[in-house]
Amino acid sequence: MPDQLETEIKFPVRDPAALRSALMRIGAISQGQVSEYNIRLDDDIWSLSENNVVLLLRRSEEQNGEVIRTLTFKADLDPQDADSPVQTRREIEVNISDIEAMLAILRELGYIPYWRYEKRREVFTWRRVEIMLDEMPYGWFVEIEGDEDDMRRLVEKLGLNIADSIPYSYAEIFQHVCRNLDLNVHDLTFEAFAGVDVPPEAYYPAG
């Protein structure tokens, strides 16, 4: 993926099967499923996190068995309303052939892995919009990215309410869930959350 702006909106999903059916009814086209394993990195003074910058190594296994490895940089635009339902970030992504070699290079540059998370995703396209139906270890979500006008049309067609969108990243939601449920969990994996019931209200900051 070249250097680009990523405009997205995210919603919690209570019934993923119903949402998938709604997407198919309006003509969205499934691009297949993918399983992701992600590694977040930062330096020893947390300068990336402090500036809302994401440095990420990802291994994606496609439905057909193909494995794609990427290095991704994301940064919030400045200024940006953190509570706005529609978020825009700069994103640069490159394919790599060897995650361990890239990890070694990043370590030499002072960036160390501090958090790992898993995701199962089905990708759809509709007009100038890409839709990601995501199964996270703590629940289901839909992310909608692309042209803002088409994003809002799609939200309306799916019967979603902009007011129900969630302005937090998956990392922020993880932090909220751990605090709200008093979980001693370091990484966001399906194994770590096995048997844990996470109510949607836990996705938000306490109070």
Side-chain angles (χ1 to χ4, degrees), residues 133-150:
L133 183 57
D134 289 341
E135 181 186 6
M136 303 298 294
Y138 46 55
W140 286 83
F141 298 80
V142 62
E143 286 190 345
I144 302 171
E145 297 181 4
D147 176 80
E148 187 167 344
D149 288 340
D150 279 346

Side-chain angles (χ1 to χ4, degrees), residues 75-163:
D76 288 346
L77 294 184
D78 188 28
Q80 180 165 252
D81 182 359
D83 294 322
S84 171
V86 178
Q87 298 290 303
T88 300
R89 294 186 291 182
R90 184 184 181 195
E91 177 174 331
I92 307 171
E93 185 172 275
V94 294
N95 289 342
I96 59 175
S97 60
D98 189 326
I99 282 183
E100 292 304 319
M102 180 58 71
L103 189 56
I105 292 171
L106 293 170
R107 283 182 183 275
E108 290 298 318
L109 294 173
Y111 297 107
I112 56 175
Y114 71 91
W115 187 56
R116 293 165 171 81
Y117 69 97
E118 295 176 321
K119 180 194 304 175
R120 297 168 186 154
R121 163 173 283 184
E122 184 171 9
V123 180
F124 300 81
T125 53
W126 182 84
R127 296 188 180 179
R128 294 171 292 174
V129 172
E130 191 171 58
I131 306 105
M132 280 68 65
L133 183 57
D134 289 341
E135 181 186 6
M136 303 298 294
Y138 46 55
W140 286 83
F141 298 80
V142 62
E143 286 190 345
I144 302 171
E145 297 181 4
D147 176 80
E148 187 167 344
D149 288 340
D150 279 346
M151 286 169 55
R152 292 183 180 275
R153 290 188 191 98
L154 179 63
V155 167
E156 184 178 351
K157 282 181 173 292
L158 293 175
L160 300 172
N161 189 330
I162 291 288

Side-chain angles (χ1 to χ4, degrees), residues 33 47 73 82-83 89 110 139 200:
Q33 299 175 342
S47 62
F73 164 93
D83 294 322
R89 294 186 291 182

Side-chain angles (χ1 to χ4, degrees), residues 13-80:
V13 175
R14 293 183 180 271
D15 189 339
L19 182 62
R20 188 182 190 281
S21 295
L23 285 166
M24 302 304 287
R25 280 197 303 272
I26 65 171
I29 300 171
S30 176
Q31 304 299 315
Q33 299 175 342
V34 60
S35 296
E36 293 182 6
Y37 182 76
N38 302 273
I39 304 171
R40 287 275 296 269
L41 302 103
D42 209 333
D43 57 26
D44 58 1
I45 60 171
W46 302 100
S47 62
L48 300 183
S49 299
E50 288 292 326
N51 290 285
N52 295 319
V53 173
V54 172
L55 184 62
L56 178 73
L57 283 169
R58 172 177 294 155
R59 181 187 186 276
S60 301
E61 184 171 349
E62 305 285 337
Q63 196 169 355
N64 61 7
E66 181 183 5
V67 175
I68 299 173
R69 302 167 184 86
T70 54
L71 173 67
T72 302
F73 164 93
K74 295 185 181 185
D76 288 346
L77 294 184
D78 188 28
Q80 180 165 252

